[in-house]
């Protein structure tokens, strides 16, 4: 009988599916049976699932989860946390984390190939560590290049034009581009947008199509499974947080 590994999801979006795909690739080579636990599972349901499946290890995806990683819930089971906020993580937890700043730096390099002098960053509606890190890195890269970074004040109409805009993720860019259309603001002549996540359902259907940074989500899932294998082999081994970044614009 194949050893069972449980993977707990926090969302059902494209990023999750790619992470799961990467984990499946490793699991197949390792001879694991990978079983997915839905994002809406309650604490009581998770405890029941752990008793029933008796997994050799768990991958807990935390991309859309806030707060501290639930160490007590998985006590005694080798566990890796995927996209846990490192600022709230339990010290010593095994984690695969998103290198948020790397996305912003890549977007900045793309923008700096143009003659645009003004730039801003539109954050996600919920304050998160990854969103803040992207904005801080983008502003720093723009200023180091000798161009002007304008803090976002909530108004597209008040931005200097032309202006390059990095959005925290593709859905933020989609909303902003729709708003620009209502105001008669031209894209890309007045405002240029870059999103993050490269979601084809958004990027291919905006007008004009949205340029976006592609995260290596499949690699993230593979890395989490690979790290879990090391935890299973040696539960007491010290494993630090490893990061994954973007692949391309």
């Amino acid at each position: 009988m194949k050893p069972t590994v449980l993977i707990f999801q926090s969302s059902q979006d494209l990023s999750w599916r790619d992470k799961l795909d990467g984990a499946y690739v490793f699991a197949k080579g390792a001879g694991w049976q990978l079983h997915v636990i839905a994002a809406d599972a309650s604490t009581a349901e998770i405890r029941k699932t752990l008793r029933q499946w008796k997994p050799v290890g768990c991958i807990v995806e935390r991309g859309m989860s806030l707060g501290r990683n639930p160490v007590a819930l998985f006590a005694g089971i080798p566990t890796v946390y995927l996209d846990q906020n490192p600022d709230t993580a339990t010290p010593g937890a095994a984690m695969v984390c998103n290198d948020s700043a790397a996305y912003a730096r890549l977007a900045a390099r793309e923008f700096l190939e143009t003659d645009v002098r003004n730039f801003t960053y539109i954050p996600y509606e919920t304050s998160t560590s990854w969103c803040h890190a992207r904005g801080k890195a983008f502003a720093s890269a723009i200023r180091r290049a000798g161009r002007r970074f304008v803090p976002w004040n909530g108004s597209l109409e008040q931005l200097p034009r032309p202006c390059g805009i990095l959005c925290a993720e593709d859905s933020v860019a989609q909303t902003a581009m729709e708003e620009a259309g209502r105001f008669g603001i031209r894209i890309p002549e007045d405002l240029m947008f870059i999103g993050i996540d490269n979601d084809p359902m958004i990027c291919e259907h905006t007008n004009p199509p949205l340029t976006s940074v592609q995260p290596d989500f499949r690699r993230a899932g593979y890395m989490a499974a690979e790290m879990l294998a090391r935890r299973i082999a040696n539960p007491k081994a010290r494993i630090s947080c490893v990061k994954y970044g973007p692949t391309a614009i």
Side-chain angles (χ1 to χ4, degrees):
M1 184 176 179
K2 292 183 177 180
T4 297
V5 168
L6 302 183
I7 180 166
F8 295 80
Q9 68 182 99
S10 69
S11 70
Q12 297 182 5
D13 58 15
L14 177 65
S15 64
W16 157 252
R17 296 193 295 272
D18 285 348
K19 292 171 189 176
L20 181 60
D21 183 62
Y24 270 127
V25 171
F26 186 92
K28 183 177 180 179
W32 293 346
Q33 176 184 351
L34 202 61
H35 184 69
V36 177
I37 308 301
D40 57 358
S42 66
T43 299
E45 290 170 331
I46 291 173
R47 289 197 176 103
K48 181 180 179 181
T49 299
L50 293 172
R51 290 195 300 270
Q52 288 178 336
W53 284 94
K54 295 181 174 57
V56 297
C58 296
I59 297 171
V60 183
E61 196 267 335
R62 301 272 297 165
M64 296 301 293
S65 300
L66 302 177
R68 189 169 296 278
N69 48 317
V71 174
L73 192 57
F74 298 96
I77 303 172
T79 302
V80 171
Y81 299 94
L82 176 54
D83 282 339
Q84 165 69 35
N85 178 359
D87 295 336
T88 58
T90 300
M95 299 186 295
V96 174
C97 300
N98 198 321
D99 187 354
S100 298
Y103 301 91
R105 291 192 292 266
L106 182 57
R109 288 199 294 270
E110 182 78 3
F111 271 134
L112 292 171
E113 294 293 322
T114 73
D115 294 328
V116 174
R117 306 301 301 176
N118 304 295
F119 297 89
T120 194
Y121 172 76
I122 302 181
Y124 189 62
E125 60 185 5
T126 302
S127 178
T128 61
S129 62
W130 57 263
C131 180
H132 176 73
R134 290 174 181 178
K136 182 178 179 181
F138 184 67
S140 178
I142 293 302
R143 287 168 175 151
R144 281 200 308 270
R147 302 197 197 183
R148 181 188 180 200
F149 180 82
V150 182
W152 173 243
N153 68 359
S155 173
L156 292 177
E157 291 183 292
Q158 295 180 20
L159 290 174
R161 302 180 195 175
C163 185
I165 303 174
L166 175 63
C167 296
E169 62 176 20
D170 292 339
S171 63
V172 175
Q174 182 182 36
T175 299
M177 291 173 72
E178 290 172 351
E179 183 178 359
R182 289 196 299 271
F183 291 137
I185 301 173
R186 299 172 303 166
I187 303 171
E189 293 85 357
D190 296 327
L191 301 180
M192 300 174 62
F193 289 89
I194 293 181
I196 297 175
D197 281 351
N198 196 29
D199 186 334
M201 286 300 294
I202 295 176
C203 298
E204 295 175 9
H205 298 291
T206 56
N207 185 24
L210 175 65
T211 297
S212 185
V213 181
Q214 172 68 62
D216 201 352
F217 289 129
R218 285 186 177 85
R219 177 63 180 158
Y222 188 94
M223 290 168 66
E226 188 177 44
M227 180 181 287
L228 180 60
R230 297 200 302 271
R231 295 286 290 177
I232 293 170
N234 185 2
K236 295 183 179 180
R238 294 178 62 87
I239 300 178
S240 60
C241 174
V242 297
K243 294 184 178 182
Y244 70 95
T247 59
I249 289 281

